[in-house]
Amino acid sequence: MTLSPARVPATGVRRLTTTLYGYAFLDDLVLLYPVYALLFADTGLPLWQISSLFALWSLTAVVLEVPSGAWADTVSRRRLLWIGPLLTAAGFALWVTVPSYGAFALGFVLWGAGGALGSGSLEALVYDEMERLGAADRYARVMGRTRAARLLATVTAMGLAGPVLALGGYPAVGAGSVLACLLAALTATRLPEHRVPAAKGSTSWSATLRAGIAEARGDRTVRGALLLIPAVAAVWGALDEYVSLLIRDLGVAETTVPWLVLLVWTLVTVGSLFAGPAERLGTRGLAALIASAALALAVGAGIRTPAGIALVGLAFAGFQLAEVLADVRLQHRIDDARRATLTSVASLGTELVTVAVFGVYTLLGASLAHSTVFMILSVPYLVTALVLCRGRRRPRNESPQERLSTQ
């Protein structure tokens, strides 16, 4: 029986997306997420050691982000996607079998390395496969659902961590996290990859990196797309770490805080599902989305009520959508041979700006309420929206697929 030409791509897209969503869910189904700080404290680590572990985690991501992206453009991207969860699993196993500062530090290095291997590799593999199937115009919708799957996994992990911890302590939570990583690695091996890596010795990762940087420097639209990703992703990515403190300042009961945090992330998860329709917004529509989310963030934080927290959740959902659309702009503009490299460059920019936002928040939070700091940090988004609005007009002959790539 011969399948029609239209059915073959549909089957291929379905296989890709089903595997992708399963991988994304398992990769973030980490029961240790909500309790690892408690594990460190219960092991006897003082606050400065715990903070140094978080810094080491960020530093690992910064150091490995771009080299791993360049590597992904010279070897099999699928291979890196299953190696990454195995490294993370090894780190989690260390945490619960030999809990100590050294084991925690090595675990964070392994976790950071595993995350760096997947950053850039996943987006590049998915975009190339969808382009091969003639479905590149659905990339935004697919990546929005992928992020929703990750967020759903995080929410699920939050709900499971407490009961599992009560049942079997940290070893049980760690075992659940290791199992999820192993299943993620197994699922990654099922991701389709038809791209042929460069022949051994023909192209080094350093040469690929240099070519990617040269492409960004020589193409204004690529450079603009690279800068937009950290401009959209970094601030709200840092603010989400302080949401529980913002909620506690409302004066609500401590038991209410987790439920309001869950409300925020539920809204973000639902918002991710609208990435496909949002792709039609265009540049000015994207600017309006960012500006609206910024206003929702400022108003929601400023009114200091549970209803305001819902507005903060809607703002985060808007920023999440904008982050997906910014990634779409970048993927439409870059060359296939350097796709993972430049995606990792954008991720590196996000990491660096996020660290800077942490510093700014610390300085402002020393004398201001959390709500005031949230309001102040909504301003960069208004600036980003203004810059987008001032960009050049889209040419009349631009294709719909390139609409979001226009500056």
Side-chain angles (χ1 to χ4, degrees):
M1 177 179 177
T2 303
L3 294 176
S4 66
R7 185 169 177 77
V8 175
T11 302
V13 170
R14 184 163 57 250
R15 178 197 169 190
L16 169 64
T17 55
T18 300
T19 309
L20 173 64
Y21 300 152
Y23 171 79
F25 181 85
L26 291 167
D27 195 40
D28 271 28
L29 187 63
V30 179
L31 274 62
L32 280 166
Y33 273 152
V35 299
Y36 61 68
L38 300 179
L39 169 62
F40 303 156
D42 290 345
T43 303
L45 269 59
L47 181 59
W48 72 267
Q49 285 190 324
I50 295 175
S51 298
S52 71
L53 291 173
F54 295 153
L56 178 62
W57 191 18
S58 297
L59 181 62
T60 301
V62 168
V63 170
L64 297 180
E65 185 69 55
V66 174
S68 67
W71 191 26
D73 280 331
T74 58
V75 300
S76 167
R77 292 163 179 165
R78 178 173 58 195
R79 183 188 308 165
L80 299 187
L81 290 172
W82 64 256
I83 291 175
L86 293 182
L87 294 178
T88 304
F92 292 158
L94 279 174
W95 283 6
V96 294
T97 55
V98 285
S100 63
Y101 181 79
F104 296 148
L106 180 56
F108 267 127
V109 170
L110 290 170
W111 193 359
L117 290 180
S119 177
S121 302
L122 183 65
E123 293 86 349
L125 183 148
V126 172
Y127 190 91
D128 283 351
E129 287 298 311
M130 296 196 72
E131 188 174 46
R132 183 185 68 84
L133 294 167
D137 59 330
R138 296 170 58 184
Y139 176 78
R141 182 190 312 165
V142 169
M143 293 311 292
R145 291 176 178 176
T146 301
R147 290 174 184 249
R150 290 189 179 278
L151 291 167
L152 179 60
T154 300
V155 171
T156 302
M158 289 179 180
L160 291 176
V164 174
L165 183 65
L167 182 65
Y170 292 118
V173 175
S177 300
V178 169
L179 177 60
C181 290
L182 295 178
L183 291 174
L186 179 62
T187 304
T189 65
R190 305 301 301 165
L191 285 168
E193 184 180 29
H194 292 81
R195 166 184 169 271
V196 179
K200 186 176 182 180
S202 63
T203 305
S204 67
W205 72 266
S206 58
T208 302
L209 175 57
R210 289 193 297 271
I213 298 300
E215 181 180 350
R217 293 178 61 183
D219 190 324
R220 185 176 67 88
T221 59
V222 172
R223 188 167 60 250
L226 280 172
L227 293 173
L228 180 60
I229 290 178
V232 171
V235 175
W236 88 271
L239 288 180
D240 77 72
E241 301 291 344
Y242 301 97
V243 167
S244 59
L245 299 177
L246 174 70
I247 294 171
R248 189 172 64 180
D249 275 4
L250 301 180
V252 299
E254 290 288 332
T255 54
T256 304
V257 174
W259 292 107
L260 289 177
V261 171
L262 183 61
L263 170 64
V264 169
W265 287 106
T266 299
L267 291 170
V268 175
T269 302
V270 173
S272 299
L273 300 176
F274 290 90
E279 189 177 7
R280 296 192 291 268
L281 289 174
T283 298
R284 293 187 181 277
L286 176 59
L289 172 65
I290 295 172
S292 299
L295 292 174
L297 177 63
V299 173
I303 62 178
R304 298 172 61 85
T305 65
I309 298 303
L311 277 178
V312 171
L314 289 174
F316 281 8
F319 297 140
Q320 171 84 306
L321 269 179
E323 190 176 335
V324 173
L325 299 181
D327 175 54
V328 173
R329 292 167 67 97
L330 179 63
Q331 300 303 331
H332 284 335
R333 298 301 301 171
I334 55 183
D335 185 82
D336 291 349
R338 294 175 287 276
R339 190 174 304 282
T341 300
L342 289 175
T343 303
S344 290
V345 169
S347 297
L348 173 62
T350 300
E351 292 283 352
L352 293 174
V353 177
T354 299
V355 171
V357 174
F358 282 139
V360 171
Y361 198 105
T362 301
L363 291 175
L364 294 175
S367 57
L368 299 174
H370 291 289
S371 58
T372 304
V373 180
F374 269 64
M375 294 172 67
I376 292 173
L377 290 177
S378 69
V379 174
Y381 283 113
L382 295 175
V383 174
T384 298
L386 179 62
V387 171
L388 280 174
C389 284
R390 292 173 61 87
R392 68 178 177 83
R393 292 181 179 274
R394 177 169 62 90
R396 291 181 180 273
N397 62 348
E398 183 184 27
S399 67
Q401 182 176 341
E402 297 174 333
R403 181 180 303 168
L404 286 173
S405 303
T406 305
Q407 295 298 311

